Amino acid sequence: KTHKPLAFTSEHLHILVLGDYVPRNNRRLLGLLVEYSQTLSYKLNITLKPHPATEFHTYEHPNLSIRVASDPIESLLEVCDVAYTSSISSSAIDAFCSGVPVITMADPKVLYMGPLRGMSGLHNVSCVSELVNALSTIKHTIISSSPPPSYFNLDVKLPLWRKILIHNEFKPPLT
């Protein structure tokens, strides 16, 4: 699936925030959006799908107009312009494979463990100026949602598993 260039005007940008199970990451995700929103003359259209293991309270973020959603991720991805995730969230894969542009908030103080690292079309941000650049770039870019053939490694013959389970050829790393 390919996502055509975004036709949003700035005032109609719909950001889907895909929450993390680490509360600190959620605070940082939303903190960048607060900083970004302070540069705008309008309110952002934000939908947040919290991680099932976390609670989210909109009153903790009075500067953002956030709709908290429990809908299935695939239906939320159909109506958003951009998905915004933390660097450790596997929900970035869902968005990417759905053809939705992905912006990943990378914490410069923590090892980057993003599931899409190295993929073209992914935008990593760690500050508000990078978020502005990512949104500007996405607005003019065609996104292809085809992961490389080896990304999921779905060989129906399961040769790697057979080596480990049937032939007992697993060699643990040297310690």
Side-chain angles (χ1 to χ4, degrees), residues 3 12 29 31 36 43 52 104 106 137 162:
H3 194 278
H12 295 99
L29 272 169
Y36 176 59
K43 287 196 179 265
T104 299
T137 302
R162 287 182 186 280

Side-chain angles (χ1 to χ4, degrees), residues 38-106:
Q38 291 170 346
T39 68
L40 305 173
S41 60
Y42 56 89
K43 287 196 179 265
L44 291 171
N45 181 8
I46 300 170
T47 301
L48 176 105
K49 179 163 179 68
H51 188 279
T54 61
E55 289 185 8
F56 180 80
H57 305 285
T58 56
Y59 63 80
E60 294 175 355
H61 303 279
N63 296 331
L64 293 175
S65 176
I66 300 174
R67 179 178 82 84
V68 178
S70 60
D71 309 40
I73 192 170
E74 59 271 9
S75 63
L76 295 171
L77 289 167
E78 288 175 5
V79 296
C80 73
D81 294 310
V82 177
Y84 179 49
T85 72
S86 76
S87 64
I88 61 172
S89 178
S90 62
S91 63
I93 299 169
D94 293 291
F96 183 81
C97 290
S98 295
V100 174
V102 178
I103 298 175
T104 299
M105 185 272 311

Side-chain angles (χ1 to χ4, degrees), residues 6-159:
L6 299 177
F8 65 81
T9 60
S10 297
E11 294 83 10
H12 295 99
L13 173 64
H14 183 182
I15 299 173
L16 174 60
V17 179
L18 296 166
D20 199 310
Y21 64 90
V22 179
R24 182 187 80 241
N25 290 344
N26 290 327
R27 285 190 299 274
R28 192 158 154 62
L29 272 169
L30 294 169
L32 281 181
L33 284 179
V34 167
E35 284 184 61
Y36 176 59
S37 70
Q38 291 170 346
T39 68
L40 305 173
S41 60
Y42 56 89
K43 287 196 179 265
L44 291 171
N45 181 8
I46 300 170
T47 301
L48 176 105
K49 179 163 179 68
H51 188 279
T54 61
E55 289 185 8
F56 180 80
H57 305 285
T58 56
Y59 63 80
E60 294 175 355
H61 303 279
N63 296 331
L64 293 175
S65 176
I66 300 174
R67 179 178 82 84
V68 178
S70 60
D71 309 40
I73 192 170
E74 59 271 9
S75 63
L76 295 171
L77 289 167
E78 288 175 5
V79 296
C80 73
D81 294 310
V82 177
Y84 179 49
T85 72
S86 76
S87 64
I88 61 172
S89 178
S90 62
S91 63
I93 299 169
D94 293 291
F96 183 81
C97 290
S98 295
V100 174
V102 178
I103 298 175
T104 299
M105 185 272 311
D107 186 341
K109 298 177 184 173
V110 178
L111 176 65
Y112 181 77
M113 299 186 301
L116 294 176
R117 71 185 164 277
M119 302 291 285
S120 71
L122 175 68
H123 300 271
N124 292 309
V125 302
S126 60
C127 63
V128 73
S129 62
E130 291 173 352
L131 180 58
V132 170
N133 273 345
L135 289 168
S136 176
T137 302
I138 286 170
K139 188 173 179 178
H140 303 288
T141 304
I142 295 176
I143 306 294
S144 172
S145 62
S146 303
S150 63
Y151 186 81
F152 290 109
N153 200 12
L154 299 175
D155 184 336
V156 293
K157 295 179 184 172
L158 303 172

